[in-house]
Amino acid sequence: MKHLIPEFDRLKARFPAGCESSLVLPCVRRIQEERGFVADSDIDGLVDYLGVPRIQIEEVLSYYTQFRRAPIGRWHLQTCRNVSCSMCGAERLMAHLREHLGVGPGETTADGRITYSTVECLGSCGTAPVVMVNDTYHESMTVEKLDALLKELG
Amino acid sequence: MPGKQLLMTFPVTATSHTLADYRARGGYATLARALSQLKPEDITKEVTTAGLLGHGGAAFSAGRKWSVVHLNDGQPHYLCANADEGEPGTFKDRWILENAPHLLLESMLIAAYALQVRHAFVYIRGEFDLPYRRLAGAIEEAYAAGYFGERILDSDFGCDIVAYRGAGSYVCGEASGLLSSLEGKRGYPRNRPPRLTVQGLYRRPTVVNNVETLANVAGIVANGAAWYRTFGTAKCPGTQLVSISGHIARPGVYELEYGYSLEKFLYEDCGGMAGGKALKALVPGGISTKVLTGAEIKGVTFDHQSLAAAGSSVGSGGMIAIADGTCMVRLLQVMLRFYHHESCGQCTPCREGTGWMHRIIDRIVAGQGRPGDLDQLIEISKRNDGTTICGMGDAAGYATIGILAKFRDEFDYWIEHKHSRLAGNLEVPAHA
Ligand SMILES: Cc1cc2nc3c(=O)[nH]c(=O)nc-3n(C[C@H](O)[C@H](O)[C@H](O)COP(=O)(O)O)c2cc1C
Ligand code: SF4
Ligand code: FES
């Protein structure tokens, strides 16, 4: 985490003085971007750097669905299962993924490549159904487009 | 076009979101004029007179909210744009973030000056990638051009801004939950009073407004309240970005002038229902607003008064069009699963109520519904109303009561026959 501190310092400069606590979410996000998850040593480092209670960081890690304490597959496929996506074929995509990957939501394929999850509305309902792969939205998905996408993922 | 437009006034191109293009459209001239010629209180007065309402769901007067902040109380004040956009069916703020980020920033600077805010924030949902990159890019462009930082445009006014990313939580869209999150904590909503404009972020006076609400400020300050009031209706001035999805021929984001005919919007602007089906129901403003049946929208116009008279509301502008043949039992199941999943768990009626409702609907769908289940769902919904810290407990109830009041026969059918009358369809096959 140490090499990220100059970056964290720059971010801090745009916050009001004394509001280090606010940096918990952006720092955790940045650490996760690099490591893929948040390790114990990262929590130690943040407690030191921000001066916030350890419990605050642990609560944040367990509260927000995007944060994780353990590694996942190289590709994280997240299918939106909310109203508009369900109305435009998300359930067929989910059934297809389960069959194709051989795992259900919350699980990782045996080769460790792909983690599959479901998510709630991604704010992209006009181009439903939506599948998120890592940070990228794939919109107006069909089973055919999903197959092509799965082939592309290395 | 569904009426006159305030925000979607320029063609979207590969560069229309950039500072250069925004300046070519006259951008940041209003900020310059405000800082050199207007007093902070003049701006709040103009926004109040314009009748600008909140566009995030609750439709509270923006000017009245701002007026609560005392300019000379010796405390720091904060401003936060709510870009959490989590209400299912809503994707309108994304249009502003992606296509007009500088309009939001200029408006926020003017609002920050009016409220004497030194530090402003945009709280943006964690999943938004392109919208975040567009916003962050615009912020850097604006800093480099001297619109943020100390002594902006040679005035005494200084302001910093941070695009703050959420991390996957619907209740962080609720204003007080948002501020808890912005303090780097769990997104727990807080009891009121105190109001956030009295004790908000770090217990300082804080204004939280929806992205679209704020984006309207630059136009109002540039052209005046009277001009703004030439849009919309006398009681409901302005426009609303509406995101429409579901079984509709042309989904997307449209700007509707308040007072515009709903039928005209659906059947002309949006091309009618997908596959030429009939409209069974319409969610007017995010799933937390009560559904209207196809018959109920006749003669309704898109504004707060007309939708309230029809028994629903404008909400977040997230419309979902539902075609004939769609199973409302399965639809409510998707909604209740969502509310249960998103309840933050602080309040017993919401935590237990959403879980209980979810279990009941799952049981009905599994063919094990009991005769008293529907009354039980209504009873739990009513018990949630008004007994919880934030509006989410209520929202789950509104969605449930709205659907049950109008489509109860489908639920009775499923309980009696142990299967859907409509084959559990959520997707409606074009040929069916
Ligand atoms: C559970 C819940 C979720 C909400 N989500 C959002 C949201 O995503 N975006 C938003 O602008 N307002 C949301 N709101 C409304 C905010 O609490 C608040 O009223 C709004 O941001 C104020 O801005 P406005 O007056 O400009 O509309 C939500 C409210 C509740 C109860
Ligand atoms: S109503 Fe629900 S979501 Fe809101 S604070 Fe209470 S438990 Fe949390
Ligand atoms: S319902 Fe899937 S993006 Fe909104």
Side-chain angles (χ1 to χ4, degrees), chain B residues 54-56 65 82 84-86 170 173-175 208-210 213 391-392:
Chain B
H55 283 58
K65 186 186 281 188
N82 188 343
D84 197 54
E85 192 132 275
Y170 170 60
E174 194 278 335
V208 179
N209 272 131
N210 173 258
T213 313
M392 207 198 87

Tab-separated table of all heavy atoms in Angstrom, chain B residues 54-56 65 82 84-86 170 173-175 208-210 213 391-392, ligand 1:
chain	number	residue	atom	x	y	z
B	54	GLY	N	-36.706	19.609	-6.295
B	54	GLY	CA	-35.758	18.506	-6.301
B	54	GLY	C	-36.133	17.475	-7.352
B	54	GLY	O	-37.303	17.125	-7.480
B	55	HIS	N	-35.144	17.002	-8.091
B	55	HIS	CA	-35.392	16.008	-9.147
B	55	HIS	C	-34.947	14.606	-8.739
B	55	HIS	O	-34.854	13.716	-9.567
B	55	HIS	CB	-34.674	16.431	-10.435
B	55	HIS	CG	-35.396	17.539	-11.167
B	55	HIS	ND1	-35.670	18.759	-10.582
B	55	HIS	CD2	-35.890	17.618	-12.422
B	55	HIS	CE1	-36.301	19.524	-11.467
B	55	HIS	NE2	-36.445	18.852	-12.585
B	56	GLY	N	-34.637	14.423	-7.447
B	56	GLY	CA	-34.142	13.124	-6.986
B	56	GLY	C	-35.234	12.205	-6.468
B	56	GLY	O	-34.991	11.045	-6.178
B	65	LYS	N	-34.663	24.761	0.593
B	65	LYS	CA	-33.630	23.962	1.274
B	65	LYS	C	-32.377	24.824	1.499
B	65	LYS	O	-31.825	24.862	2.593
B	65	LYS	CB	-33.284	22.741	0.425
B	65	LYS	CG	-32.329	21.769	1.087
B	65	LYS	CD	-31.903	20.640	0.159
B	65	LYS	CE	-32.924	19.547	0.018
B	65	LYS	NZ	-32.425	18.376	-0.739
B	82	ASN	N	-25.964	14.510	-5.512
B	82	ASN	CA	-26.303	13.103	-5.368
B	82	ASN	C	-26.328	12.440	-6.754
B	82	ASN	O	-27.242	12.648	-7.539
B	82	ASN	CB	-27.667	12.987	-4.677
B	82	ASN	CG	-28.012	11.564	-4.300
B	82	ASN	OD1	-27.413	10.625	-4.802
B	82	ASN	ND2	-28.986	11.414	-3.414
B	84	ASP	N	-25.916	9.070	-7.031
B	84	ASP	CA	-25.922	7.649	-6.682
B	84	ASP	C	-26.799	6.847	-7.647
B	84	ASP	O	-26.534	5.665	-7.877
B	84	ASP	CB	-26.378	7.441	-5.236
B	84	ASP	CG	-25.995	6.061	-4.741
B	84	ASP	OD1	-24.806	5.729	-4.832
B	84	ASP	OD2	-26.874	5.301	-4.316
B	85	GLU	N	-27.820	7.520	-8.165
B	85	GLU	CA	-28.688	6.922	-9.190
B	85	GLU	C	-28.921	5.421	-9.007
B	85	GLU	O	-28.554	4.608	-9.855
B	85	GLU	CB	-28.098	7.182	-10.582
B	85	GLU	CG	-29.073	6.845	-11.703
B	85	GLU	CD	-29.193	7.925	-12.750
B	85	GLU	OE1	-29.992	8.858	-12.544
B	85	GLU	OE2	-28.488	7.865	-13.768
B	86	GLY	N	-29.556	5.089	-7.883
B	86	GLY	CA	-29.749	3.668	-7.597
B	86	GLY	C	-31.177	3.192	-7.701
B	86	GLY	O	-31.437	1.991	-7.639
B	170	TYR	N	-27.664	0.707	-2.215
B	170	TYR	CA	-28.810	1.541	-2.625
B	170	TYR	C	-29.105	2.629	-1.604
B	170	TYR	O	-29.396	3.765	-1.978
B	170	TYR	CB	-30.022	0.628	-2.814
B	170	TYR	CG	-31.354	1.301	-3.012
B	170	TYR	CD1	-31.581	2.171	-4.078
B	170	TYR	CD2	-32.420	1.032	-2.142
B	170	TYR	CE1	-32.836	2.754	-4.264
B	170	TYR	CE2	-33.667	1.614	-2.332
B	170	TYR	CZ	-33.867	2.481	-3.388
B	170	TYR	OH	-35.104	3.046	-3.564
B	173	GLY	N	-27.969	6.332	-1.615
B	173	GLY	CA	-28.629	7.380	-2.391
B	173	GLY	C	-29.509	8.245	-1.509
B	173	GLY	O	-29.849	9.365	-1.871
B	174	GLU	N	-29.881	7.716	-0.357
B	174	GLU	CA	-30.667	8.504	0.595
B	174	GLU	C	-29.708	9.534	1.191
B	174	GLU	O	-28.583	9.195	1.588
B	174	GLU	CB	-31.253	7.568	1.660
B	174	GLU	CG	-32.336	8.185	2.505
B	174	GLU	CD	-31.831	9.033	3.655
B	174	GLU	OE1	-30.694	8.788	4.113
B	174	GLU	OE2	-32.539	9.949	4.091
B	175	ALA	N	-30.158	10.793	1.266
B	175	ALA	CA	-29.221	11.881	1.528
B	175	ALA	C	-28.372	11.700	2.795
B	175	ALA	O	-27.171	11.979	2.783
B	175	ALA	CB	-29.989	13.199	1.576
B	208	VAL	N	-27.646	18.642	0.158
B	208	VAL	CA	-27.554	17.526	-0.782
B	208	VAL	C	-28.650	17.729	-1.817
B	208	VAL	O	-29.826	17.855	-1.467
B	208	VAL	CB	-27.769	16.162	-0.082
B	208	VAL	CG1	-27.697	15.024	-1.102
B	208	VAL	CG2	-26.749	15.950	1.025
B	209	ASN	N	-28.265	17.815	-3.057
B	209	ASN	CA	-29.247	17.904	-4.144
B	209	ASN	C	-28.918	16.892	-5.220
B	209	ASN	O	-27.746	16.563	-5.450
B	209	ASN	CB	-29.249	19.290	-4.802
B	209	ASN	CG	-30.172	20.295	-4.132
B	209	ASN	OD1	-29.776	21.413	-3.837
B	209	ASN	ND2	-31.408	19.912	-3.890
B	210	ASN	N	-29.938	16.445	-5.884
B	210	ASN	CA	-29.789	15.552	-7.021
B	210	ASN	C	-28.993	16.254	-8.140
B	210	ASN	O	-29.057	17.471	-8.285
B	210	ASN	CB	-31.198	15.172	-7.504
B	210	ASN	CG	-31.176	14.386	-8.784
B	210	ASN	OD1	-31.428	14.920	-9.851
B	210	ASN	ND2	-30.846	13.109	-8.688
B	213	THR	N	-31.196	18.411	-10.393
B	213	THR	CA	-31.634	19.637	-9.709
B	213	THR	C	-30.544	20.689	-9.864
B	213	THR	O	-30.800	21.832	-10.292
B	213	THR	CB	-31.855	19.365	-8.203
B	213	THR	OG1	-32.621	18.181	-8.035
B	213	THR	CG2	-32.540	20.543	-7.530
B	391	GLY	N	-36.579	6.523	3.974
B	391	GLY	CA	-37.761	6.245	3.175
B	391	GLY	C	-37.794	4.857	2.561
B	391	GLY	O	-38.754	4.513	1.872
B	392	MET	N	-36.757	4.050	2.796
B	392	MET	CA	-36.751	2.776	2.102
B	392	MET	C	-37.817	1.825	2.606
B	392	MET	O	-38.424	1.094	1.828
B	392	MET	CB	-35.395	2.104	2.162
B	392	MET	CG	-35.258	1.211	0.950
B	392	MET	SD	-34.018	-0.007	1.064
B	392	MET	CE	-34.933	-1.286	1.861
C	1	LIG	C1	-33.733	4.643	-0.223
C	1	LIG	C2	-33.557	5.962	-0.928
C	1	LIG	C3	-32.734	6.041	-2.038
C	1	LIG	C4	-32.529	7.259	-2.689
C	1	LIG	N1	-31.717	7.280	-3.779
C	1	LIG	C5	-31.496	8.470	-4.414
C	1	LIG	C6	-30.620	8.548	-5.539
C	1	LIG	O1	-30.063	7.546	-5.984
C	1	LIG	N2	-30.422	9.761	-6.118
C	1	LIG	C7	-31.026	10.901	-5.649
C	1	LIG	O2	-30.796	11.982	-6.180
C	1	LIG	N3	-31.860	10.855	-4.590
C	1	LIG	C8	-32.096	9.678	-3.955
C	1	LIG	N4	-32.926	9.657	-2.854
C	1	LIG	C9	-33.500	10.949	-2.376
C	1	LIG	C10	-32.512	11.671	-1.460
C	1	LIG	O3	-32.705	11.207	-0.132
C	1	LIG	C11	-32.710	13.181	-1.443
C	1	LIG	O4	-34.051	13.456	-1.235
C	1	LIG	C12	-32.288	13.871	-2.714
C	1	LIG	O5	-30.971	13.545	-3.074
C	1	LIG	C13	-32.379	15.373	-2.514
C	1	LIG	O6	-32.124	16.042	-3.714
C	1	LIG	P1	-33.235	16.851	-4.495
C	1	LIG	O7	-34.010	17.646	-3.459
C	1	LIG	O8	-32.463	17.720	-5.403
C	1	LIG	O9	-34.088	15.873	-5.178
C	1	LIG	C14	-33.165	8.434	-2.212
C	1	LIG	C15	-34.015	8.341	-1.109
C	1	LIG	C16	-34.224	7.128	-0.470
C	1	LIG	C17	-35.137	7.080	0.711
